Amino acid sequence: MSVTFYRVKEGEFSRLVETQSITKFIAQESEISPLKFSLVGINPDKQLAYIVRHGRCDELRTWRLDNLGAYLKKLGVNCWEVQLT
């Protein structure tokens, strides 16, 4: 079974978290910008993954890890994985 990836804006990602459509979170380090992380949310039951993109273009949104942690904490997420390249 393969996972389907969707690129979503930050607002849509927040709504998916609020409705508990995402239950696993991964901060993936950017290959282009070291110590900047993209956010991936996964719904393991439905084999769906969502990655946050910028609002005005289709590039991936990246955060410093402290800012990403603050964003997730604001959404009520208290557990996530960090993957370094």
Side-chain angles (χ1 to χ4, degrees):
M1 207 180 226
S2 65
V3 176
T4 304
F5 267 86
Y6 293 98
R7 290 175 174 241
V8 296
K9 295 178 187 175
E10 203 171 314
E12 177 65 15
F13 191 89
S14 296
R15 283 187 288 280
L16 289 165
V17 173
E18 289 171 5
T19 61
Q20 298 180 351
S21 298
I22 298 173
T23 57
K24 183 175 180 178
F25 303 88
I26 300 171
Q28 175 64 53
E29 185 178 23
S30 169
E31 291 180 3
I32 299 167
S33 302
L35 299 180
K36 293 277 191 147
F37 294 82
S38 295
L39 178 58
V40 179
I42 299 173
N43 180 328
D45 296 332
K46 295 185 179 180
Q47 297 290 306
L48 298 173
Y50 303 90
I51 192 161
V52 180
R53 69 175 182 89
H54 281 286
R56 294 185 180 187
C57 63
D58 198 36
E59 294 179 11
L60 298 181
R61 169 90 163 80
T62 59
W63 290 267
R64 288 189 342 226
L65 203 51
D66 59 336
N67 291 332
L68 179 55
Y71 170 67
L72 289 171
K73 186 175 183 179
K74 182 179 83 174
L75 294 176
V77 176
N78 58 15
C79 183
W80 63 90
E81 295 179 23
V82 176
Q83 295 182 356
L84 302 172
T85 55

